[in-house]
């Protein structure tokens, strides 16, 4: 595949409420440095800024971020602000609240419902905005999300947030949230090498309700927060070879083939990987290839 000229447009768009987004988006978590949740070496600032600008140049209009994506010297939100403000009119920035980290980067327990306004405001300050396009409640294992989601629904009524999403949820949480306020997106862990019947069910449920399903760790797969490894299933390698593509591109393309409402938010701090990931928008897998990849996925379970 010739990557450099392919833009996110090749995979089309989806609407989060009234906001159109490119189905190939960008996850900001990997911009701040190495190692899991980035207690490691902080990233090169100019390189991260270049990745963000290149993403927008290549037609990405959906960036996923959080105030808790930071390393000792870098904040994903600050990098986004520096690289992209004044923001293009068509750029949609989605933030997540629920988890939080103290100044040393140590994780706290879940925010209480009455603390969520402060967490939204922290994102607003860092991004330099007066309202957030999309805010997810990132569930922290609570059984019911009603109180937390209700607090976000109030912030939506107050105009601080345009649309709401939920993350790390089970199928029943979608109905619980929808009874309180409209949900435009669900963000769960979902990857080719990680079969998960609950997320499969949720993906289908979202499709039926016109709600976007946004997988995270679609490239990193089973390795999760540790980041992508060089080990790939033979089927992934075979499909990649057939298209002159890379395994990461096959993983992103497989994600996009799961339905028109499924959005990709691959994360990278590497400008070459960014170009490669956006180019996966144009990678069309055959039914036979999808069947082979799905069969390998079931075996992984
Ligand atoms: N809701 C939640 O609980 C939750 C949790 C985690 C993440 N997220 C969101 O989901 C987004 C996606 O997750 P992610 O960024 O961790 O995972 P990802 O996109 O699945 O994978 C990122 C990993 O893959 C590598 N990578 C990316 N593109 C590559 C390519 N073309 N070739 C080889 N390696 C490549 C990255 O390293 P390089 O930087 O070296 O490219 C990094 O190690 C995050 O950025 C974040 O916005 C949400």
């Amino acid at each position: 595949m010739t990557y450099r000229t392919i833009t996110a447009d090749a995979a089309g768009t989806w609407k989060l409420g009234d906001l159109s987004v490119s189905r190939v988006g960008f996850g900001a978590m990997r911009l701040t440095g190495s190692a899991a949740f980035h207690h490691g070496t902080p990233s090169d600032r100019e390189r991260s800024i270049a990745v963000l600008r290149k993403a927008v140049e290549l037609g990405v209009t959906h960036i996923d971020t959080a105030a808790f994506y930071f390393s000792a010297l870098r904040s994903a939100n600050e990098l986004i602000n520096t690289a992209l403000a004044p923001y293009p009119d068509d750029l949609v920035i989605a933030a997540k609240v629920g988890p939080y980290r103290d100044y040393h980067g140590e994780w706290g327990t879940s925010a209480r419902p009455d603390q969520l306004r402060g967490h939204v405001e922290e994102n607003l300050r860092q991004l330099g905005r007066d309202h957030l396009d999309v805010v997810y409640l990132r569930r922290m294992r609570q059984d019911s999300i009603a109180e937390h989601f209700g607090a976000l629904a109030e912030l939506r009524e107050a105009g601080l947030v345009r649309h709401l999403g939920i993350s790390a949820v089970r199928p029943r949480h979608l109905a619980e949230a929808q009874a309180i306020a409209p949900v435009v997106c669900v963000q769960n862990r979902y990857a080719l090498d990680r079969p998960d019947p609950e997320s499969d069910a949720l993906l289908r449920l979202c499709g039926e309700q016109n709600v976007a399903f946004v997988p995270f760790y679609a490239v990193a797969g089973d390795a999760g927060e540790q980041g992508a490894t060089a080990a790939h299933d033979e089927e992934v390698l075979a499909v990649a070879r057939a298209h002159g593509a890379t395994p990461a591109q096959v993983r992103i393309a497989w994600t996009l083939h799961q339905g028109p409402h499924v959005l990709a938010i691959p994360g990278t701090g590497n400008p070459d990987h960014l170009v490669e990931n956006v180019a996966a928008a144009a990678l069309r897998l055959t039914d036979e290839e999808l069947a082979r990849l799905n069969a390998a996925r079931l075996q992984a379970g």
Side-chain angles (χ1 to χ4, degrees):
M1 252 161 83
T2 315
Y3 304 154
R4 304 257 152 210
T5 52
I6 299 172
T7 63
D9 303 351
T13 57
W14 179 262
K15 278 203 148 180
L16 299 177
D18 62 338
L19 304 173
S20 179
V21 292
S22 55
R23 290 187 61 225
V24 173
F26 177 77
M29 193 182 89
R30 305 280 173 181
L31 285 175
T32 62
S34 66
F37 281 105
H38 315 310
H39 293 288
T41 314
S43 60
D44 180 281
R45 185 179 171 71
E46 294 311 315
R47 190 174 188 250
S48 293
I49 287 174
V51 166
L52 283 161
R53 290 188 176 149
K54 189 72 185 171
V56 168
E57 202 183 300
L58 289 174
V60 167
T61 60
H62 176 208
I63 295 182
D64 185 81
T65 187
F68 49 83
Y69 292 160
F70 64 87
S71 61
L73 299 179
R74 306 278 174 263
S75 140
N77 281 349
E78 183 274 328
L79 289 166
I80 292 169
N81 186 339
T82 303
L84 303 177
Y87 298 108
D89 287 343
D90 62 353
L91 181 66
V92 173
I93 302 178
K96 295 173 292 297
V97 293
Y100 69 92
R101 296 165 67 195
D102 69 15
Y103 292 118
H104 307 288
E106 298 306 324
W107 290 98
T109 50
S110 175
R112 294 191 314 266
D114 64 297
Q115 292 174 320
L116 290 176
R117 185 183 184 110
H119 289 233
V120 166
E121 287 172 349
E122 181 182 24
N123 281 280
L124 289 172
R125 284 192 296 275
Q126 293 173 350
L127 291 165
R129 304 198 75 167
D130 297 326
H131 77 274
L132 293 172
D133 300 321
V134 178
V135 172
Y136 290 91
L137 172 69
R138 204 295 186 185
R139 185 174 77 102
M140 299 296 284
R141 297 210 184 102
Q142 59 269 51
D143 191 42
S144 163
I145 59 171
E147 265 192 78
H148 287 82
F149 192 75
L152 286 189
E154 282 174 21
L155 300 182
R156 176 174 166 272
E157 290 295 319
L160 267 71
V161 178
R162 186 114 157 221
H163 296 297
L164 298 176
I166 51 178
S167 177
V169 291
R170 310 184 81 165
R172 66 186 163 81
H173 293 120
L174 178 58
E176 190 181 29
Q178 292 276 44
I180 297 167
V183 173
V184 301
C185 44
V186 172
Q187 187 177 129
N188 264 27
R189 187 167 183 173
Y190 187 81
L192 180 49
D193 55 355
R194 212 168 186 276
D196 171 2
E198 281 214 333
S199 280
D200 285 347
L202 203 41
L203 185 149
R204 280 195 300 276
L205 212 51
C206 284
E208 287 160 19
Q209 298 182 26
N210 261 352
V211 171
F213 185 82
V214 187
F216 67 84
Y217 293 154
V219 176
D222 226 17
E225 66 183 61
Q226 308 306 322
T229 67
H232 300 284
D233 191 276
E234 189 45 47
E235 294 299 340
V236 173
L237 292 171
V239 173
R241 273 195 298 272
H243 289 273
T246 66
Q249 289 180 314
V250 171
R251 287 168 183 274
I252 295 167
W254 178 85
T255 305
L256 294 170
H257 277 75
Q258 301 310 306
H261 67 298
V262 181
L263 311 181
I265 50 165
T268 183
N270 178 323
D272 293 331
H273 287 170
L274 185 265
V275 173
E276 200 179 297
N277 295 349
V278 172
L283 180 54
R284 302 285 179 266
L285 305 177
T286 65
D287 289 346
E288 195 259 329
E289 287 169 336
L290 285 168
R292 272 164 51 198
L293 291 170
N294 289 337
R297 181 169 193 251
L298 289 177
Q299 276 169 18

